[in-house]
Amino acid sequence: MQKEQTFEMDGMAGAPPVAGGSVVVAMTFIGLMFFILGCATWLNGSLIPFLKIACELNNFQSLWVTFAFYIAYTLMALPSAAVLRRTGYRAGMSIGLAVMALGALLFIPAARATSYAMFLLALFTLASGMTLMQTAINPYIVCIGARDSAAMRISIMGLFNKTAGVLVPLAFSGMMLSDFGNYSDAALAAMSAADGALLRSQLAQRLVLPYGLMAAGLLAMAVVVRFSPLREIPEQQAAEEAGPSRWGVLQFPQLVLGALALFVYVGVEVIAGDTIGLYGHSLHVENFGVLTSYTMAFMVAGYVVGIVAIPRWLSQKQALLLSAVCGIVFSFGVIQGSATASGLSQVMLGWAGVPAVPDTVMYLAMLGFANALVWPAIWPLALEGLGRYTASGSALLIMGIAGGALLPMLYGHFSDNVGSQAAYWLLLPCYALILFYAVKGHKMTSWR
């Protein structure tokens, strides 16, 4: 085992050494922040059907949750890069946590007023803080060690993130959805308008305590990070191969195409994680509130594969190719599989006592495995050779997260018009684009 590692930046020589213990400390802090981001992100899968009932929404309207949340990444990515240039990475992470705390606090007046618009504002604010966090921690984890093992390190961070994705829906369901049968469409339809409005208001009030606790925890973590021993990423020099500076980051095809691949990837990841509850509810699955945990559990399995196999048995390029092929296969399973039979989940999870779900729901959850290594593989491939453009390139990749805002909305529109299962045809062109990036797009170093 090496006693010293260094921050390695493209085109940079003489970076100060970072002791192995410092790397462990950095990985621990960044891992904790990935866990926090996972808690805030994957709560949406349970929050969507919750707000659908509390605010009387259809599928399309309820998926404004994902739009308000993920559009923040597009609008706030470049401002986040500017903040990091002024404050540095550690202070930027602390500021991001504080903004997240503000977003969590805004849930309290939103819940008291049962105002969907205020919920969306709170989600946008929460995600704005997360954008600053993501813009800082992703290049940080890429640059902390050897580039050919960057996907392995990001996979470790993904374990923190998706473990939160497994636990949070279970905790939310236990706290908030224990008597959800009282709020079924049939039960609410049988009530008078006044009684229904009162019941929905009482349902919304349940969000006050968990989001109040979240705000307190985020503020405490902001203070801890601000005074932590995290080191700054050294200033980067221009890569020797960089083209005309007037084009900025747009001169790098592997970056621009990587941002496009991340756009569709985040879209399909959010569809798999956040619409599975809605889809399960439409099939009358009793435990629909925890279905996001199924998807996240498969993502955790995918990250374990990445940690074990990359770069020893799988290159980052091969991992991306495998992910795209699995995504296409599982998407066909969602579209063509049985919405009534549950043999697949019984075979795969019955031994563990996990409640059975329809085959199509299981295939949707299995997309978590297909998605797990896409993010870890694209980042190092897209940032290769950027040199002094790394921070701006990171911001462009973060802007690709807008796919999580737009593609689920498109799915919601289709599901309301052609049916929930048929609407999953949207997944196929997305995985085809990821496949193109894995085969050719990442190799393109010039637009000529």
Side-chain angles (χ1 to χ4, degrees):
M1 178 176 177
Q2 292 180 332
K3 293 185 178 180
E4 286 195 336
Q5 299 182 33
T6 59
F7 287 111
E8 296 187 6
M9 305 300 296
D10 292 331
M12 186 188 72
V18 179
S22 298
V23 173
V24 172
V25 170
M27 291 279 285
T28 301
F29 268 99
I30 300 299
L32 181 56
M33 283 183 272
F34 268 96
F35 184 86
I36 291 170
L37 292 175
C39 289
T41 300
W42 299 113
L43 190 56
N44 289 343
S46 297
L47 189 64
I48 288 169
F50 183 91
L51 291 180
K52 180 182 179 182
I53 293 176
C55 300
E56 295 187 86
L57 310 171
N58 60 29
N59 285 343
F60 178 77
Q61 291 168 333
S62 65
L63 286 169
W64 278 98
V65 166
T66 62
F67 181 86
F69 190 86
Y70 289 100
I71 199 64
Y73 284 97
T74 295
L75 298 180
M76 303 305 295
L78 292 178
S80 293
V83 168
L84 291 178
R85 284 193 292 269
R86 177 177 289 270
T87 67
Y89 284 79
R90 182 177 61 186
M93 294 174 197
S94 182
I95 294 169
L97 287 163
V99 175
M100 289 177 64
L102 174 62
L105 284 174
L106 289 175
F107 270 83
I108 297 176
R112 295 195 184 282
T114 319
S115 169
Y116 191 45
M118 291 185 67
F119 279 125
L120 297 179
L121 175 62
L123 284 161
F124 180 87
T125 305
L126 183 68
S128 295
M130 294 174 65
T131 305
L132 182 53
M133 290 279 290
Q134 290 271 21
T135 307
I137 63 180
N138 281 288
Y140 197 97
I141 205 67
V142 167
C143 298
I144 203 172
R147 189 169 292 275
D148 65 355
S149 61
M152 180 270 289
R153 291 193 300 279
I154 298 177
S155 293
I156 295 174
M157 298 301 103
L159 277 180
F160 286 93
N161 186 275
K162 268 56 185 190
T163 297
V166 173
L167 298 177
V168 167
L170 294 173
F172 185 87
S173 181
M175 291 175 61
M176 315 291 287
L177 307 179
S178 57
D179 60 343
F180 220 56
N182 298 332
Y183 300 91
S184 67
D185 294 338
L188 290 168
M191 297 179 183
S192 66
D195 288 342
L198 178 61
L199 200 62
R200 290 187 177 92
S201 177
Q202 292 172 348
L203 183 63
Q205 298 292 321
R206 296 185 184 185
L207 294 173
V208 171
L209 178 60
Y211 278 92
L213 294 174
M214 181 189 294
L218 289 168
L219 284 174
M221 189 62 190
V223 174
V224 170
V225 170
R226 182 65 183 87
F227 297 102
S228 72
L230 285 174
R231 296 193 54 171
E232 291 295 333
I233 296 177
E235 282 296 320
Q236 306 161 57
Q237 304 300 319
E240 293 180 0
E241 68 273 23
S245 60
R246 69 179 181 272
W247 290 102
V249 295
L250 299 181
Q251 67 188 291
F252 301 103
Q254 81 277 16
L255 173 69
V256 176
L257 295 173
L260 184 58
L262 282 182
F263 177 89
V264 296
Y265 153 70
V266 176
V268 296
E269 181 188 41
V270 173
I271 288 172
D274 284 359
T275 72
I276 191 170
L278 285 175
Y279 181 54
H281 185 242
S282 72
L283 299 180
H284 308 292
V285 176
E286 289 187 9
N287 59 326
F288 70 90
V290 302
L291 290 178
T292 295
S293 294
Y294 286 55
T295 307
M296 295 301 104
F298 277 106
M299 290 199 81
V300 168
Y303 281 123
V304 170
V305 170
I307 293 168
V308 173
I310 298 173
R312 181 176 298 175
W313 294 300
L314 272 181
S315 69
Q316 293 166 155
K317 303 168 189 177
Q318 290 169 335
L320 188 58
L321 179 62
L322 176 64
S323 297
V325 172
C326 287
I328 291 171
V329 172
F330 296 154
S331 295
F332 272 111
V334 176
I335 298 161
Q336 301 293 339
S338 172
T340 55
S342 58
L344 183 62
S345 66
Q346 289 174 358
V347 170
M348 297 187 67
L349 302 176
W351 58 271
V354 177
V357 296
D359 288 350
T360 53
V361 175
M362 193 64 183
Y363 278 117
L364 189 57
M366 290 167 64
L367 283 173
F369 182 85
N371 293 335
L373 297 182
V374 177
W375 180 277
I378 287 178
W379 271 85
L381 294 175
L383 293 180
E384 182 74 30
L386 263 63
R388 63 188 175 92
Y389 294 106
T390 298
S392 297
S394 174
L396 184 64
L397 292 177
I398 291 296
M399 291 174 71
I401 295 176
L406 301 176
L407 295 183
M409 295 289 291
L410 192 57
Y411 167 81
H413 171 74
F414 289 147
S415 67
D416 282 333
N417 288 277
V418 301
S420 298
Q421 185 175 1
Y424 286 114
W425 277 103
L426 178 63
L427 298 171
L428 290 174
C430 297
Y431 285 111
L433 181 57
I434 295 170
L435 182 62
F436 167 78
Y437 189 75
V439 173
K440 183 177 180 180
H442 74 277
K443 300 177 183 177
M444 297 174 61
T445 58
S446 172
W447 291 111
R448 294 197 283 279

